[in-house]
Amino acid sequence: MKKTKNWLLAILILPAFYSCDDDDTVDTSAPQITLEDPVNGEAVAAGTAMDVHADLEDDVNLATYSITIHDNFDGHAHGRLLVENFSFSESYEVEGTDTHVIQEVNIDAEATAGPYHFIMEAIDAAGNATSFQDDSSIEIEIWITNETMAHIHLMDANDAEIDELEGTLGEALAIYGEVEDESGTLDHVLISVGHLEEEAGADGHDHGRILEDNIFEEEYEVEGETSVLLQDLLANESIIITQADLDELEEEEHLYLIVQATDGEGNISRNAIEIHFD
């Protein structure tokens, strides 16, 4: 009888032992985010709703995700008063090990045009949060447009709009175009020739688009003007691309002509086209 009691005691203790062992398992893995929309560089009009589509995954249980949008003007307004510096920050509850997020973000009708950071983060039920250190948090650049911002037209010598620029190595680029503001005045125009590099994180997603190692970059003060021609701004410049410049590019990189204009109200507009060479 005593032996039987010992076996019964062992059977009762065994589940409790494994239960305690399970409780000791600590969830240390942060959620994963796969952002489908918006995409890096996407333009969204002020006064409209921007669609956000994303997949969230966690090995145990999700808890919340957040969406944050703030401007990335980086002082380009030159101290001028912005129409309305749009910002957005909301957190949403979620549960389960995976979910597909469909969310709408309303962009204020009076939002200042220009580049904005779109950030998406997530936290699981154990408190593990995504981070920028390991690229599990998502950060991309979007552009808000509005009806009062300046318009940038890139053209050929015959005043036809172009979506790519043809150049010849060793010869000065022939750059034509117009920057016009139909509802106000311009403040300054930035003209660059360089490469746009996709900044990819460890998860393979593009977390920003940066312009670096410019072959040419010049800012022109045009305060009070309603329209300026690029060929006039560049009249004393000679932008020449050599084979050595192209050799500096990584595989699949290209050179771009980038024109960025800021108006008197702080709205920023940009047009970038790829440069092809004979």
Side-chain angles (χ1 to χ4, degrees):
M1 178 69 69
K2 188 173 182 180
K3 183 181 290 187
T4 303
K5 286 183 178 180
N6 289 340
W7 277 105
L8 287 173
L9 183 61
I11 291 171
L12 291 173
I13 293 174
L14 189 61
F17 174 79
Y18 280 110
S19 176
C20 290
D21 190 56
D22 287 345
D23 290 341
D24 289 338
T25 302
V26 178
D27 177 12
T28 60
S29 299
Q32 294 182 342
I33 305 172
T34 302
L35 181 65
E36 296 179 0
D37 289 308
V39 298
N40 192 52
E42 182 170 328
V44 56
T48 66
M50 179 179 67
D51 292 327
V52 178
H53 292 184
D55 289 318
L56 306 182
E57 294 182 52
D58 187 72
D59 55 349
V60 180
N61 194 20
L62 296 161
T64 64
Y65 71 91
S66 64
I67 296 173
T68 303
I69 302 173
H70 60 78
D71 75 85
N72 185 31
F73 294 170
D74 194 26
H76 291 304
H78 287 203
R80 292 185 173 274
L81 179 65
L82 302 178
V83 179
E84 181 172 334
N85 216 359
F86 174 73
S87 64
F88 177 89
S89 183
E90 288 290 341
S91 183
Y92 308 89
E93 293 185 357
V94 65
E95 60 183 16
T97 58
D98 63 86
T99 187
H100 182 70
V101 170
I102 300 177
Q103 195 63 250
E104 281 192 348
V105 175
N106 292 316
I107 308 299
D108 290 348
E110 300 300 318
T112 304
Y116 287 76
H117 281 153
F118 173 96
I119 299 169
M120 192 168 189
E121 301 174 275
I123 303 174
D124 67 15
N128 299 303
T130 58
S131 72
F132 295 106
Q133 285 72 26
D134 62 5
D135 293 315
S136 54
S137 292
I138 302 295
E139 181 175 348
I140 63 172
E141 185 177 78
I142 62 172
W143 282 74
I144 292 180
T145 63
N146 63 31
E147 294 182 354
T148 64
M149 69 181 194
H151 296 281
I152 302 170
H153 307 283
L154 299 178
M155 298 176 285
D156 62 19
N158 298 314
D159 291 337
E161 295 243 10
I162 57 174
D163 55 16
E164 60 182 37
L165 178 64
E166 299 294 335
T168 301
L169 290 176
E171 296 182 10
L173 292 174
I175 297 174
Y176 301 91
E178 181 182 16
V179 181
E180 61 175 347
D181 194 326
E182 297 177 349
S183 59
T185 59
L186 299 168
D187 186 76
H188 60 277
V189 175
L190 178 68
I191 302 176
S192 306
V193 173
H195 72 277
L196 291 172
E197 180 180 336
E198 296 291 350
E199 184 182 29
D203 59 358
H205 299 297
D206 296 324
H207 294 273
R209 204 167 188 180
I210 57 175
L211 182 66
E212 60 175 28
D213 301 328
N214 293 325
I215 295 172
F216 174 85
E217 181 173 293
E218 193 67 46
E219 185 174 273
Y220 302 91
E221 298 294 334
V222 292
E223 185 176 355
E225 299 289 341
T226 59
S227 175
V228 293
L229 297 176
L230 298 184
Q231 55 268 38
D232 290 344
L233 297 179
L234 295 169
N236 297 320
E237 309 286 356
S238 183
I239 306 173
I240 299 174
I241 310 301
T242 66
Q243 184 60 53
D245 294 321
L246 297 186
D247 291 341
E248 291 294 321
L249 299 176
E250 299 291 335
E251 186 177 356
E252 309 242 333
E253 285 183 339
H254 303 279
L255 286 182
Y256 286 82
L257 167 65
I258 304 99
V259 179
Q260 185 167 293
T262 303
D263 68 15
E265 295 182 317
N267 294 299
I268 303 173
S269 51
R270 186 180 75 169
N271 195 351
I273 59 173
E274 189 176 327
I275 306 173
H276 293 276
F277 296 94
D278 296 338

